[in-house]
Amino acid sequence: MSAVSDRLPVFPWDKLEPYKKTAAAHPDGIVDLSVGTPVDPVPELIQKALIAAADSPGYPTVWGTPELRDALTGWLERRLGARGVTHRHVLPIVGSKELVAWLPTQLGLGPGDRVAYPRLAYPTYEVGARLARAEHEVYDDPTDLDPAGLKLLWLNSPSNPTGRVLDKAELTRIVAWAREHGVLVFSDECYIELGWEAEPVSVLHPDVNGGSYEGIVSVHSLSKRSNLAGYRAAFLAGDPAVLGPLLEIRKHGGMMTSAPTQAAVVAALGDDVHVREQRERYASRRTLLRDALLGNGFRIEHSEASLYLWATRDESCWTTVSRLADLGILVAPGDFYGTAGEKFVRVALTATDERVRAAAQRLAR
C-alpha cells in the first residue's frame, strides 16, 4: 500500500507546523503569509453563476460545456493575444495542481524518460515525475539541457516562488529550441495576469510561437486572479495533438470539473472588472510588505510579478522563518522550492489588508 507514497518526498508544509504554532501564539495573532491561499471574497457575479447552476443532477462532461469552451477561447484571444484558438485547443482541468502532479503519468512517461523544471520551482513538478517513475532534473537555462530522452519541459512564468518573468525573446528562443529537438513544452502561466514591474507574455502569443501551437501547452488557473482556489477551476490551452489524448484519458479517469464550477468559470472569464479590483488589492499589499521588508534589512530579488516577494537576509531560510515566527509572521522557507532557495523566504501577498498592516508594523519595530 505504501509503494506509491514511498516515491514521494516528505510533504514540505508539514515541516512548517512548529513555526506556525509559534506565530499563532503572538498576542495580536498570526499573520500567515506562507501558503498563498486567497482570502478575499469570491466576486458576487461568480457566486451568482454558481448558485444559478446549483441544480445540476446530471454528470458534467470532461471537455466542458460549449459555453465554457467559448469563454476559454475568448479569454485567450482577448487577454493573451492568442490567435485562431478553437474548442480543440482548450481543456478544463480540476485545478492546476492535479494536472501538474499527474501529467507525466497521463503522457505515458516512465523510467528512462526525463522531466525538467526550473531550479527554483513549485515542488509538484518533481512530484509528477516521481509518480510516473520518470527521471527529473532542474535547469537554469533549459536550452543547456541534453534533449535526449527529455520528454517534458516545464516553464513557469511568472515564477513561483521568485516572481521572475521570462520575456518574449527568452520564450521565443526556448520554444524554438524545444521544437528543434522534439521536446514537449508545458508553460505554467497561472500568475500571468499579476505582473507588477514586468508584463508577462504567454507561449500562446504568435510573436513567441510563430502562429503555431505545435508542441506547446499553457496552464491557467482562476484560483488567484478570481479568488477561486476553493472551486478548483483551471484549464489547458495549446496543441490539439496533445490535448486530444489527454481529454480521452481524463474521460476514462473521471477528471471532470463540476457543472456549477463550469458555469462560474464562464462568468469569471467574461468579466475583467473584478480582476482589476483584485490586482489593486494585491498591489497595495505588495507595496506595504515590500517597503517593510526592505526597511527590516531584507533584500528582494525578482518579484516583478506573481503573488510573492522573494526575500533574503543572506542567512538560512529557517533562521529567517524562526525570527519572523517570533514576530507572529509565518512565511515559506525558500528550500521548499529547491536547494538554491536555502537563503530565501517566500512572502505571500494573500492576507487581508488588516493583517498585512499588522505585519508591516511588526517589521518596523
Side-chain angles (χ1 to χ4, degrees), residues 66-76 78 87 265-267 269-270:
E67 292 79 13
L68 174 59
R69 283 176 262 140
D70 283 343
L72 299 180
T73 57
W75 181 83
L76 291 165
R78 185 179 79 253
H87 287 194
V265 171
V266 172
L269 292 181

Side-chain angles (χ1 to χ4, degrees), residues 250-297:
R250 295 172 72 84
K251 284 179 181 178
H252 285 288
M255 292 176 167
M256 59 189 81
T257 306
S258 75
T261 295
Q262 291 188 31
V265 171
V266 172
L269 292 181
D271 177 72
D272 295 331
V273 174
H274 79 275
V275 180
R276 288 196 296 269
E277 292 173 347
Q278 189 61 43
R279 275 180 53 88
E280 290 170 3
R281 293 187 190 104
Y282 285 138
S284 176
R285 294 166 188 167
R286 179 179 183 273
T287 297
L288 199 58
L289 283 171
R290 183 183 179 89
D291 290 348
L293 289 166
L294 292 173
N296 194 265

Side-chain angles (χ1 to χ4, degrees), residues 144-306:
D144 291 335
L145 294 167
D146 180 357
L150 181 59
K151 297 298 179 66
L152 174 60
L153 173 64
W154 279 107
L155 304 181
N156 181 207
S157 176
S159 163
N160 174 16
T162 68
R164 183 187 171 205
V165 171
L166 297 174
D167 63 28
K168 190 178 291 185
E170 288 178 286
L171 286 172
T172 302
R173 177 177 61 85
I174 293 167
V175 167
W177 176 87
R179 284 176 168 167
E180 178 185 353
H181 296 286
V183 177
L184 176 62
V185 173
F186 263 69
S187 180
D188 183 344
E189 301 176 354
C190 288
Y191 299 93
I192 200 163
E193 292 193 281
L194 295 167
W196 311 115
E197 297 163 5
E199 188 61 40
V201 180
S202 173
V203 293
L204 301 181
H205 196 286
D207 289 353
V208 171
N209 60 43
S212 167
Y213 300 117
E214 180 184 356
I216 56 173
V217 177
S218 63
V219 184
H220 297 278
S221 169
L222 285 84
S223 291
K224 307 300 170 56
R225 52 92 73 188
S226 296
N227 299 330
L228 296 189
Y231 285 44
R232 309 315 301 135
F235 62 95
L236 303 179
D239 191 344
V242 178
L243 298 187
L246 288 180
L247 172 59
E248 293 305 312
I249 292 166
R250 295 172 72 84
K251 284 179 181 178
H252 285 288
M255 292 176 167
M256 59 189 81
T257 306
S258 75
T261 295
Q262 291 188 31
V265 171
V266 172
L269 292 181
D271 177 72
D272 295 331
V273 174
H274 79 275
V275 180
R276 288 196 296 269
E277 292 173 347
Q278 189 61 43
R279 275 180 53 88
E280 290 170 3
R281 293 187 190 104
Y282 285 138
S284 176
R285 294 166 188 167
R286 179 179 183 273
T287 297
L288 199 58
L289 283 171
R290 183 183 179 89
D291 290 348
L293 289 166
L294 292 173
N296 194 265
F298 283 85
R299 185 177 77 255
I300 294 173
E301 291 191 0
H302 296 299
S303 306
E304 59 259 33
S306 82

Side-chain angles (χ1 to χ4, degrees), residues 7 19 33 83 93 103 142 157 179 314 356:
R7 297 179 213 158
Y19 301 94
L33 307 177
R83 295 292 178 265
I93 54 178
L103 178 65
S157 176
R179 284 176 168 167
D314 293 312
V356 168

